[in-house]
Amino acid sequence: LKPQGSTQEMLEWSLGDLEHAINLESLANEVKNQTRMDSWESFYTCAELPFDSPVALVLHRVLTVYHLAKNVARVEAQPQNPLRIHLLGVEGEMFHARLFFALFSILFEGTEVHIAMIGPEVPQHIQVEHQFKNIRIQLINGLALWEAGKNPIPKPDIAIGLNAGIGAYPTWQVTMEHLLQLKIPAYFTDYMECSSEMAVQSFALGRSVEEHFVLEQVQLNPFRQPLYNQNAPNNAFPSFANGFLIGVRPRDL
């Protein structure tokens, strides 16, 4: 995770690398024109990418987070505050921080965005916080408990877990209970539709959430990784990284 050279050099390398593949100026113009980007087709068109470009293999994490925050949950920053996005249970997302900086600084132009990447896989010796333009990213080792004294960060406007496996890992239950208690909109992705269905059931387990929460049904993620997951169980079900979306949000938001 330690960058070679200064943070500014790392970010400049990231932007320069993207500029070879993506027309960032065209993308910025489309954002200013409020063009809706809600699929690979619309993103490729806005970025002037040929449809055979492989960038979707790399950008699915970044654009899934953008899609959930902007198009699905439609969260907005509170007055005088940044838009706070917490990524839970992070693994590979840590190594895509450069892409979050490069693209989010354009896609969220005019909005200060704070992203906290939280999870036990974050090395304990790394407490990194970097900022580029309007985007700040913080890496935090541990669980997402927003109680006073438990975490040195405010609660988010939206919490997101990518390829979370909510229905497969009981350890998510404590975090889910906490999300519901604090009325934090939460969205998760999974590889398979059946895994997402299990996650929906786990949200409702032991409580009636319908009265106070809207339980989003399973959706196909338009920004899923387009290649079939080669490590999928041998069950013939469609399986893609960030393939399917689910979520739960308070009714009063």
Side-chain angles (χ1 to χ4, degrees), residues 175-184 203 207 209 213 248:
T175 300
M176 288 163 49
E177 291 285 342
H178 211 59
L179 290 167
L180 293 173
Q181 179 184 354
L182 295 178
K183 295 185 177 181
I184 297 172
F203 265 123
R207 62 168 65 233
V209 300
F213 296 89
V248 61

Side-chain angles (χ1 to χ4, degrees), residues 13 15 47 55 75 83 111 114 118 120 138 156 168 172 179 209 218 225:
W13 177 89
L15 285 169
V55 300
V75 292
L83 175 63
T111 300
H114 290 187
I118 307 169
Q138 185 177 7
W172 275 106
L179 290 167
V209 300
V218 177
Q225 214 266 26

Side-chain angles (χ1 to χ4, degrees), residues 191-192 194-195 228-239:
Y191 287 91
M192 295 187 294
C194 59
S195 301
Y228 182 80
N229 175 27
Q230 298 297 321
N231 297 319
N234 187 21
N235 54 21
F237 290 144
S239 179

